[in-house]
Amino acid sequence: MRISVDVEATLPESLRGPEGGTGPQAAREELGVIAGAARGLSDVVRIARILVPEDFGAALAELAPDRHASRPRTASSASAAPAATTAMTAAIPAPQGWVLVFHPGIYGPEHDAHMRYALYWRELTRLVNKGRLPVPLRTADGAPRQDRHAVLLTAVSRLFGEYDAARKAWDFRDGLLRKVLRQELSERARTALLHAFAADLGHATSADARTWLRMLADDHARTG
């Protein structure tokens, strides 16, 4: 059976990236690469739709109203680049499969295609890891809380999942640029890579992470 992945990009034509042509059609062409990969991973994770909305916040509120409160739309909300504290991506579960949502601001002058290729693949890998990494089920209201081992395992699994997603995203982009597009990594993407690597390294070596790993190792030593 053929698996289809709908791709929709409704960002304003006014958004033009530094490569000089990032409009809705160019965005759809870029996303087609990820849609093809998603079809190949359909036995692991089902992605039904990839969306770049004109208004990121409004789209999240419509797709998942219980998780994302609707905010008033401003004239600049469509084309504004995401702030440092604003998510650039979201994955929303739907009856037909997951919906991947990307902020339209990533098609503006602060980003280029090389940066976006890694962003696309990182989000896709996060979804794959949701089905592969052990995450204890949430307990119902009034039920006993999860034991310490389950909580630690969840925290460490999420930490590894982020590392794995970042590493695979960079590997995918490197292969795409060198073997398919025959391009060298842009200076803008190189700088973003260094910043992302530093941030991921900081999370992996943080005091919290070291504490989680030490406590998990102690649990395994006691219980075998």
Side-chain angles (χ1 to χ4, degrees):
M1 181 180 68
R2 176 175 171 78
I3 302 297
S4 63
V5 179
D6 294 332
V7 176
E8 179 183 347
T10 55
L11 64 158
E13 287 283 1
S14 59
L15 278 177
R16 300 284 176 177
E19 65 272 29
T22 309
Q25 181 57 36
R28 283 190 288 269
E29 291 173 359
E30 286 183 16
L31 292 167
V33 176
I34 297 302
R39 286 192 290 271
L41 293 169
S42 59
D43 58 330
V44 179
V45 60
R46 177 71 174 94
I47 297 175
R49 187 182 177 200
I50 300 176
L51 173 65
V52 181
E54 186 173 354
D55 188 308
F56 187 73
L60 295 187
E62 180 181 351
L63 290 166
D66 56 327
R67 294 171 52 191
H68 301 278
S70 180
R71 293 175 299 178
R73 189 179 188 278
T74 64
S76 61
S77 63
S79 58
T85 56
T86 301
M88 294 186 293
T89 65
I92 308 296
Q96 297 80 17
W98 288 91
V99 179
L100 284 182
V101 188
F102 294 98
H103 196 293
I106 67 174
Y107 297 92
E110 292 81 9
H111 295 75
D112 65 14
H114 293 184
M115 296 168 67
R116 290 191 293 271
Y117 289 136
L119 185 65
Y120 299 149
W121 195 261
R122 185 165 187 164
E123 193 63 28
L124 181 60
T125 306
R126 281 175 174 148
L127 278 183
V128 171
N129 285 343
K130 280 181 181 289
R132 289 179 171 172
L133 298 178
V135 178
L137 296 175
R138 293 180 179 178
T139 55
D141 292 340
R145 297 180 62 183
Q146 297 174 353
D147 61 29
R148 189 181 79 157
H149 185 82
V151 173
L152 290 172
L153 185 61
T154 299
V156 172
S157 295
R158 287 175 177 166
L159 187 67
F160 173 79
E162 282 300 303
Y163 155 78
D164 185 61
R167 182 179 59 83
K168 289 179 177 175
W170 299 333
D171 286 346
F172 164 80
R173 178 177 60 187
D174 186 65
L176 177 66
L177 294 182
R178 295 181 183 276
K179 298 178 182 179
V180 179
L181 301 179
R182 307 294 182 181
Q183 298 174 1
E184 291 296 325
L185 187 63
S186 71
E187 284 302 317
R188 187 184 295 268
R190 195 183 305 274
T191 300
L193 170 63
L194 293 175
H195 290 165
F197 179 77
D200 288 334
L201 182 63
H203 290 309
T205 58
S206 66
D208 284 343
R210 294 196 301 271
T211 299
W212 296 335
L213 290 170
R214 184 175 62 252
M215 294 172 68
L216 193 61
D218 290 345
D219 283 355
H220 278 292
R222 286 196 301 271
T223 63

